[in-house]
Amino acid sequence: MQQLGKANSANIETWLETINTYNSTPEFGTTRVLFTEPEVGARNYVKGEMKKLGMTIHEDAIGNIFGVYPGTDATLPPVWTGSHIDTVLNAGMFDGMSGVVAGLEAVRLIRESGISLRRSLVVVVYTSEEPTRFKLGCLGSRALAGKLDAAEAATLHDAAGKSLYEVLEQLGFPVQDFDLVKKKPGDVFAAVELHIDQTGVLERAGKTVGIVKTICAPTVLEVEVIGRQSHAGGTSMEERRDAYMAACELALVLENLGRHSDSEYTTVTVGKVEVIPNAVNVIPGKVVFSVDIRDCDYDKKNELVMKFRQAVSKVESERGVAVTIKMVNNDHPMGCSPKITQLIEKNCCQQDVPYMYTISGAFHDSMLVGDFAPVAMIFVPSHDGISHSPQEWTDFDDLAAGTDVLTGTLVALANA
Ligand code: GLV
Ligand code: MN
Ligand code: MN
């Protein structure tokens, strides 16, 4: 009987370090924003590595990359694995990339073992999981789930005013086929994503693998506060209508709502703030800030959003400012498939890998892929749980152990 070999941590390290050379901020962490030169370079590198592993490659209208390792029965729905290779600003080298590289190593192990798969195994690189360029996350998986179409792609603009649709068209993606991106239930048999843990829970518990039960989902708001721009010295404290101070009050109200939520998974973040005109001696007339609210419970998340809106009305009347709120996205938490999580657990037991069940506070492409396929996620430890930071670190041996569990799971699914 053919046997799977063990994942090679040196391969994983080489792939991750090479991807990491595609970086627009080598002096401070890793920055690889969607369709910038480093990101396109990393895409080409990954496609080259897929080809070396005998995979055929295709891309859809939104730029999702599919590396297909063929199964023996092309009529069966495939099994997917993979993640993303774009990053936030000044990130680390593991968030997203680990799942893509683990998929490559899984294909290498399967190929070298001589084990044949009934279903094709597809390594997917999802377009822009991070909301860095277009403020909306999970662009590729959102389109696959039918929640982002060509018309909406034309309304998403980057800081330079270019629309996602325009950028895709300029890069030669087949935007005329945007309607073909969407998948329906049954198109994909199962999808398993390996990712680093971004909470620290695995490291604290001394476990090598986390089996994700639920992926928390975000609501993202863009809040615009209009006050009155005026002179810092000439405007009395009574007269001023300071957009920045109103925004600060709203941020603190939000923090308070987050701290006192009765859901243990609530998080609230103001991560992006624009102050206009942003000058020492001018009372800001306008502030635009982002609000990111997460929860594993959709109703509790919506309740918190409603309370925030109520606070906004109060601050508007007390401070004489006008606030508008644009809802960027309001995603649904995703439950992982118990059938797949049990299979992952079985693989952990067979391979003697210490594991635990956990939840994901971060969102992932699997959150949207779960709309049309059963999904599961395998987490590997991250030092101190630090992520979205140059300090992000995962040991390559842990990645190799997680990849072994992933590979065993993918083989079982592909032959189910
Ligand atoms: C994805 O990176 C997230 O913000 O959870
Ligand atoms: Mn991330
Ligand atoms: Mn990620």
Side-chain angles (χ1 to χ4, degrees), residues 310-341:
Q310 286 164 355
V312 164
S313 306
K314 191 160 168 273
V315 168
E316 272 184 314
S317 61
E318 285 174 3
R319 287 183 172 270
V321 295
V323 181
T324 46
I325 299 178
K326 181 178 150 208
M327 170 100 59
V328 179
N329 54 302
N330 183 16
D331 294 321
H332 286 261
M334 181 53 64
C336 290
S337 153
K339 274 199 186 134
I340 311 179
T341 57

Side-chain angles (χ1 to χ4, degrees), residues 43-110:
R43 282 171 174 265
N44 289 336
Y45 170 69
V46 170
K47 286 190 275 184
E49 295 306 292
M50 285 173 165
K51 277 193 196 134
K52 285 190 208 161
L53 290 167
M55 305 166 88
T56 53
I57 292 152
H58 61 273
E59 287 162 282
D60 62 14
I62 197 159
N64 290 313
I65 301 169
F66 302 90
V68 182
Y69 182 73
T72 53
D73 188 345
T75 64
L76 294 175
V79 172
W80 283 9
T81 190
S83 193
H84 61 100
I85 58 169
D86 69 307
T87 70
V88 295
L89 305 176
N90 309 114
M93 61 181 263
F94 296 93
D95 173 2
M97 289 66 78
S98 299
V100 172
V101 162
L104 296 180
E105 181 66 356
V107 169
R108 187 191 71 78
L109 289 170
I110 293 165

Side-chain angles (χ1 to χ4, degrees), residues 227-242 283 319-320:
R228 186 175 58 198
Q229 184 175 325
S230 62
H231 195 288
T235 318
S236 73
M237 296 311 287
E238 286 71 37
E239 278 173 310
R240 59 185 65 201
R241 302 211 313 257
D242 185 329
I283 297 166
R319 287 183 172 270

Side-chain angles (χ1 to χ4, degrees), residues 250-270:
L250 287 174
L252 291 174
V253 165
L254 180 73
E255 184 188 45
N256 203 38
L257 289 171
R259 279 189 195 281
H260 296 101
S261 158
D262 57 4
S263 161
E264 67 175 300
Y265 301 120
T266 305
T267 58
V268 297
T269 305
V270 173

Side-chain angles (χ1 to χ4, degrees), residues 8 10 40 67 73 149 180 213 254 306 323 341 364 376 414:
N8 181 337
V40 172
D73 188 345
D149 60 14
L180 304 180
K213 283 187 293 193
L254 180 73
M306 201 190 66
V323 181
T341 57
H364 302 283

